[in-house]
Amino acid sequence: MTDQRVGRIRFMDQQRVNLDGFAHEDVDLGLIAMASPHDPDPSLRVEDGRVVEMDGRPVDDFDALDALIATHGIDLSVADEAMSLDDVAFARLFVDPAVPRAEIVRLVAGTTPAKLAKVVTLLRPAELTLAMTKLRARRTPSNQAHVTNRLDDPLLLAADAATAAAYGFREVETTVPVLADAPSNAVAVTVGAAIASPGVLVQCSVEEAMELEMGIRGLVSYAETVSLYGTESVFVDGDDTPYSKAILAAGYASRGVKMRVSSGAGAEVLMGGAEQCSMLYLESRCVSLARAMGVQGVQNGGIDGASVAASVPRGVRELMAENVMVMARNLEACTGNDALMSESDVRRTSRTLPILLAGSDYVCSGFGSIQRYDNMFGPSQWNAEDLDDWLAMQRDWGVDGGLRTAQPEEVGRVRREAAEACRDVYRYLGLADFTDDHVDRAVDAVGSKDLAVDGVEPDPMVVLGAAQAIRSSGLGSLEVAKALLECGYEAAAGRVLDMLAARVHGDHLQTAAIFDESMRVLSLVTDPNDYAGPGTGYEPSEERQAEIDGIRQARGVEDLRKDQALEADGSFRVLGPAAQGSDPREVVIGVSPGVGRNVWQTLSGLSVIDALGELLAGLEEEGCVARVVRVNGSLDLGMVGLTAARLSGSGIGIGLQGKGTALIHRRDLPPLANLELYSMAPVITRDLYRLLGTNAGRHAKGATPVPARNPYTDEAIEARYHTSVIALVALERACVDRSLGNEDVEVVR
C-alpha cells in the first residue's frame, strides 16, 4: 500500500525519538505517572501511641508494607502537625528558601506515603529543581560509574575502573554476564580503582547472597541491589518480604558495607502488580519503607523501569519527584539517570539536566563509563560516548556533576598501571597468567571487542577459573592488598588497606557518605547541605571550578598562535607602498593585515598560500593581471575588498581574510555591499576559491557571471569554529597598523 503521508511526516518518523515507546494512560495497568483515581486519600489515625489507620486502610487490613511503615516509618510526635497541613501550603515549604531543610525533614517524617505523594505532585518541574537543590542530604554532589564488559575480562575491567576514578567517579559498580565470574570482577575493579585514586567505593551487583559474601571478604565496599516494591504482591512473587530485605540490609551494615535500597517507577507495572495506583504513590510507599527499614539511602528515579514511566504523560516529571521524596525523608539520593530512558539525545538530556543543575548525592546511579555494548546492566542513560558531553554541560552551566577532565596522558598512564597491576596480582595469587600483548590490548581498548586477536576473543574459562579459585580459597581484600604490595604497587596496596580500616571505623555508613581523595568522609553529618537561597549552599571551590572549566578541548590565542607558526614560511615579501593601478585588466586581491605575518592557515585547513594560488589561477584563466595588496588599516572583509577594488585598474577587487572568508567588491559600492561573498570559511574548497577568482576576472571584463554561491552545510559550523575565529581575529587585530598603509606583496609559490 502506498504511503499517503506527506514527506514532512515521513521525515519526522525517521527520527530517533520515534524508536521510543509512548503509551496512553491506563489506570487499570498502573500506566499513570501521578494522581491515579485509585490512589488512597491521605489519612492517619493513632490510638494509644499505635497507628490504627493509615491512608484509608484500617490496621486489620494492613499488608506487610503498611505494618512496617506504620511501626517504624512515621514519627508520631510530629504526625498530627504534618498530616493536618494544607497540601499546597506544605508544597510551598519545599521551595521557600526561608524554610530550612531541617524543617522540611522534620515535617515529612510525620507523613504517610499518600500524603507525601500528594504534596510532591503539586511541584512543577522548576519547583522540583529548587526543592532538590535545597533537600539533598550532602552538600557536595557526586557521581557513580558502571564498569563492566561482555567478556568479564579482568585487565580491561581494571583499566576501565582506573579510568573512571581518574574522571572523578567516587563509586564504581560492576556486574557480570556470567554469575560465577563475580569474584574475579570484584577483585579486578578493586585493583583498578585503587591504582587511580584513594577512597573509591566498589560494588559487584549480583545475586544477594553472593554479593553479601563478597562484602564480608572486603571485595566490595557498598551495595544497592536490595530491591523494594510498592505492593505486597510483587514482593511475594519474588519470594521476599520487606522484613527479609531489612534483615539483609542490616547484614551489610554490620560488616561495614555501605548500602542503599533500589526501587523506582515502573517495576510494579512491569510485574503486573500496580493495583491501579499511580507510579508516584507506589514509589512513595517504597521510600517510606526504606525509612522504616533504617537504610541510609535509596536508588530510584525509574532505574530499570525508567522507560515505562517516560512512556506516559508527566512520566519524566514523576521520576524527578521520586528523587525529591527520598531527599525529603532525609535519605541519600542516588537519582537514577541509570538505564537508558530514550533513544533520543534530546529526551534523555531533558530528563537529566534538571538534576544536574540542582545537584544530587549521586547525579547518576550508573553512568556507563564504558562503551554501550559493554554495559552488562544494559545501556545507561549516559555512556562513554557521552563523557565529553557531560564535562561540557558541567562547564556550560558552571555546575558540579561530579566529574572532571582527565588529561590524555593521565588516562594512558593509569590504564597501563591498572592493567599491569591486575596481571601481576592474578599471577602472584595463582589465579591466571596474562600475556604482555593482552595487557597492551586492554590498555588501548575502547571496549572488549578490541581484545580479540585475529578474530579470536580471550578464553572465558580463564576468568571462570580465577573466579572459582577466589571463591573457594576464601581470598579477600587483605590478600589483594598483600599481592599489590609484593608486586611493587605500594600506593594501591595502601588504598585497599585504608578501605578495610574505614569499614572498622564505619563513618562511611553515615547518610550520603563518600570518601574524597584524602579519605575524608563527606556525608549528611560532616558535609550537610546548607542551601537557603542565593549566596548559600554548595559552590565549587576555586580549585574544583578550575577542574570543571578545564576541558581538554578548550583553546586560546596562544594555542592558535603556535599552530599558525607551524605553517609559517617565507612566501610573502613586501615590495613597497601600493599605488592606484591603471591597467583595465588588473584585479587586486586584498589580504587582511595578519596574512603572511602571523596567520598562515584558513579555517578550512587550506594554507593562505593555497587559497591565494587558486584565486590567482582563476584570474589568470580569464586573462586578467593580478596584484596582491596587504591592507594594513582594517581587518574588516568589506573594507579589505573595497580597498582592493579602489586600487585596482579595473575597479574590481577581491578581499581575503586570514580565516578564509572572501568576496568580490567594486569600487563604487558601499563597504558592506559586494558582488559575491563566501562567508562560510571552514567549508571553502580550492575549487570554490578558483571559481571566485574566475568570476572576479569576468566582472573585470564587464560580464555578468553566474554568481558563486556560499557553500552550505548542516553542520554546527558556528559552534565548531567561533572560538578559533575569535583567536584568529585577535592575531589579526594585533597586526592592524594604519601607519603602514597598503603594501604590494609578492607571493612566492
Side-chain angles (χ1 to χ4, degrees):
M1 181 177 177
T2 304
D3 191 343
Q4 298 298 313
R5 296 169 301 172
V6 297
R8 178 61 65 89
I9 299 300
R10 296 196 303 273
F11 169 76
M12 290 171 64
D13 283 347
Q14 294 169 5
Q15 306 312 305
R16 293 190 65 80
V17 69
N18 292 305
L19 295 173
D20 296 346
F22 297 94
H24 295 294
E25 284 188 347
D26 189 324
V27 173
D28 289 339
L29 296 176
L31 275 172
I32 179 169
M34 301 171 165
S36 166
H38 297 283
D39 289 348
D41 291 328
S43 71
L44 186 69
R45 191 159 58 88
V46 180
E47 294 180 359
D48 299 325
R50 174 172 171 263
V51 175
V52 296
E53 180 191 302
M54 184 174 70
D55 293 340
R57 184 177 292 180
V59 65
D60 291 343
D61 294 336
F62 279 2
D63 61 15
L65 284 73
D66 294 322
L68 190 53
I69 292 168
T71 305
H72 298 288
I74 299 175
D75 183 352
L76 298 183
S77 68
V78 73
D80 283 347
E81 179 185 359
M83 293 298 292
S84 62
L85 270 173
D86 174 74
D87 294 335
V88 172
F90 204 162
R92 288 175 177 172
L93 300 181
F94 278 58
V95 297
D96 186 344
V99 179
R101 177 184 186 275
E103 177 63 5
I104 306 298
V105 168
R106 183 186 74 86
L107 290 168
V108 169
T111 61
T112 65
K115 179 70 171 179
L116 181 57
K118 195 168 184 181
V119 169
V120 172
T121 296
L122 296 171
L123 298 176
R124 300 183 183 95
E127 293 160 350
L128 287 169
T129 305
L130 184 55
M132 182 173 285
T133 304
K134 181 167 85 170
L135 291 177
R136 73 170 183 269
R138 189 178 62 245
R139 195 170 186 265
T140 305
S142 188
N143 220 320
Q144 180 200 108
H146 285 167
V147 174
T148 68
N149 66 66
R150 62 192 180 83
L151 303 177
D152 288 337
D153 185 83
L155 303 194
L156 183 57
L157 286 167
D160 286 342
T163 302
Y167 274 97
F169 290 101
R170 302 313 297 161
E171 285 188 357
V172 172
E173 180 182 20
T174 190
T175 192
V176 292
V178 177
L179 176 60
D181 289 347
S184 174
N185 281 30
V187 169
V189 171
T190 294
V191 169
I195 288 293
S197 173
V200 177
L201 295 164
V202 170
Q203 179 195 7
C204 185
S205 175
V206 290
E207 183 272 331
E208 291 170 344
M210 180 180 284
E211 188 169 352
L212 181 57
E213 178 186 325
M214 289 189 290
I216 292 170
R217 293 188 188 186
L219 296 178
V220 298
S221 44
Y222 82 97
E224 66 181 9
T225 48
V226 178
S227 300
L228 302 184
Y229 307 102
T231 61
E232 188 177 60
S233 62
V234 176
F235 265 111
V236 171
D237 280 349
D239 194 27
D240 255 325
T241 72
Y243 295 92
S244 65
K245 297 291 189 180
I247 293 168
L248 180 59
Y252 280 113
S254 71
R255 295 298 182 268
V257 179
K258 176 185 174 181
M259 71 82 55
R260 65 180 71 93
V261 295
S262 291
S263 53
E268 299 84 4
V269 180
L270 287 168
M271 298 182 198
E275 299 176 2
Q276 299 181 309
C277 294
S278 72
M279 299 181 200
L280 187 67
Y281 166 68
L282 294 179
E283 184 56 22
S284 187
R285 295 192 86 198
C286 293
V287 174
S288 299
L289 197 58
R291 180 78 269 174
M293 290 167 57
V295 300
Q296 67 84 37
V298 177
Q299 171 186 228
N300 74 352
I303 313 303
D304 290 338
S307 57
V308 176
S311 71
V312 298
R314 297 192 298 166
V316 172
R317 179 171 168 180
E318 188 279 338
L319 295 176
M320 190 171 183
E322 294 182 20
N323 305 142
V324 170
M325 291 193 300
V326 171
M327 297 172 179
R329 291 234 181 255
N330 209 26
L331 298 168
E332 173 189 76
C334 213
T335 45
N337 298 300
D338 184 324
L340 183 64
M341 183 208 81
S342 171
E343 287 291 348
S344 161
D345 291 342
V346 176
R347 286 192 78 211
R348 64 191 180 95
T349 302
S350 79
R351 183 261 186 276
T352 302
L353 185 58
I355 297 173
L356 174 64
L357 298 181
S360 171
D361 298 320
Y362 292 92
V363 181
C364 297
S365 60
F367 189 121
S369 67
I370 39 45
Q371 294 284 293
R372 279 177 64 153
Y373 72 77
D374 261 336
N375 196 330
M376 294 300 100
F377 293 99
S380 288
Q381 179 85 342
W382 300 89
N383 300 277
E385 296 88 334
D386 308 306
L387 195 49
D388 280 335
D389 297 82
W390 186 273
L391 295 167
M393 286 199 302
Q394 287 186 153
R395 185 177 187 265
D396 291 343
W397 289 94
V399 297
D400 192 339
L403 303 188
R404 63 177 176 228
T405 294
Q407 295 304 320
E409 57 274 13
E410 173 67 3
V411 173
R413 183 190 68 78
V414 299
R415 288 185 69 84
R416 178 158 296 281
E417 187 175 355
E420 291 177 347
C422 190
R423 174 199 59 191
D424 295 346
V425 165
Y426 273 55
R427 182 181 294 161
Y428 178 87
L429 295 172
L431 302 175
D433 199 0
F434 298 101
T435 66
D436 290 344
D437 179 67
H438 195 146
V439 171
D440 291 342
R441 288 177 180 274
V443 171
D444 192 57
V446 177
S448 61
K449 293 178 182 179
D450 299 323
L451 298 181
V453 180
D454 296 329
V456 179
E457 294 182 330
D459 183 359
M461 296 306 294
V462 172
V463 179
L464 184 59
Q468 290 174 340
I470 294 167
R471 194 171 191 193
S472 63
S473 67
L475 183 146
S477 59
L478 191 60
E479 288 76 21
V480 172
K482 180 183 177 184
L484 283 165
L485 183 63
E486 292 294 328
C487 294
Y489 303 96
E490 184 175 350
R495 291 165 181 173
V496 174
L497 289 175
D498 287 344
M499 291 300 291
L500 279 174
R503 291 173 60 164
V504 177
H505 296 302
D507 289 346
H508 70 298
L509 303 183
Q510 299 165 1
T511 298
I514 58 171
F515 293 101
D516 68 12
E517 291 180 317
S518 299
M519 286 299 290
R520 294 175 300 186
V521 173
L522 304 180
S523 70
L524 173 63
V525 175
T526 63
D527 185 36
N529 182 15
D530 57 354
Y531 178 80
T536 67
Y538 176 76
E539 192 69 30
S541 66
E542 186 175 334
E543 180 183 8
R544 175 63 182 131
Q545 193 64 57
E547 285 186 333
I548 292 169
D549 295 346
I551 60 174
R552 61 188 173 86
Q553 302 92 333
R555 293 169 57 78
V557 174
E558 287 308 310
D559 297 303
L560 186 66
R561 191 189 305 277
K562 292 175 184 177
D563 291 345
Q564 290 287 341
L566 294 175
E567 304 296 325
D569 57 31
S571 302
F572 286 78
R573 185 166 67 90
V574 176
L575 300 176
Q580 171 70 50
S582 58
D583 188 335
R585 297 175 303 151
E586 182 187 58
V587 174
V588 171
I589 302 175
V591 297
S592 55
V595 172
R597 286 194 176 121
N598 56 14
V599 178
W600 298 88
Q601 188 176 55
T602 70
L603 291 176
S604 71
L606 284 175
S607 70
V608 292
I609 297 297
D610 289 337
L612 277 169
E614 297 298 336
L615 292 171
L616 291 167
L619 289 169
E620 184 179 349
E621 289 171 1
E622 292 300 315
C624 291
V625 176
R627 178 161 57 115
V628 178
V629 173
R630 182 184 286 135
V631 179
N632 290 306
S634 176
L635 55 78
D636 177 77
L637 180 61
M639 284 305 302
V640 170
L642 180 59
T643 301
R646 288 172 175 173
L647 290 171
S648 169
S650 68
I652 298 296
I654 297 174
L656 176 66
Q657 282 182 316
K659 65 182 178 180
T661 48
L663 54 69
I664 302 173
H665 223 305
R666 195 174 66 208
R667 67 161 61 107
D668 61 338
L669 295 176
L672 296 182
N674 60 75
L675 298 176
E676 299 179 27
L677 170 68
Y678 288 158
S679 61
M680 304 289 282
V683 291
I684 304 175
T685 63
R686 285 178 176 271
D687 289 344
L688 289 171
Y689 281 119
R690 180 167 293 222
L691 175 61
L692 197 70
T694 299
N695 281 4
R698 291 173 180 172
H699 282 293
K701 293 188 295 185
T704 305
V706 176
R709 294 188 179 276
N710 206 40
Y712 171 78
T713 177
D714 62 358
E715 297 176 355
I717 291 295
E718 292 182 352
R720 186 177 304 177
Y721 291 101
H722 263 179
T723 54
S724 297
V725 169
I726 292 167
L728 271 172
V729 167
L731 293 182
E732 292 239 54
R733 177 67 66 186
C735 295
V736 174
D737 187 347
R738 294 181 186 276
S739 68
L740 294 177
N742 304 311
E743 301 171 317
D744 282 331
V745 175
E746 180 184 17
V747 180
V748 180
R749 288 184 287 158

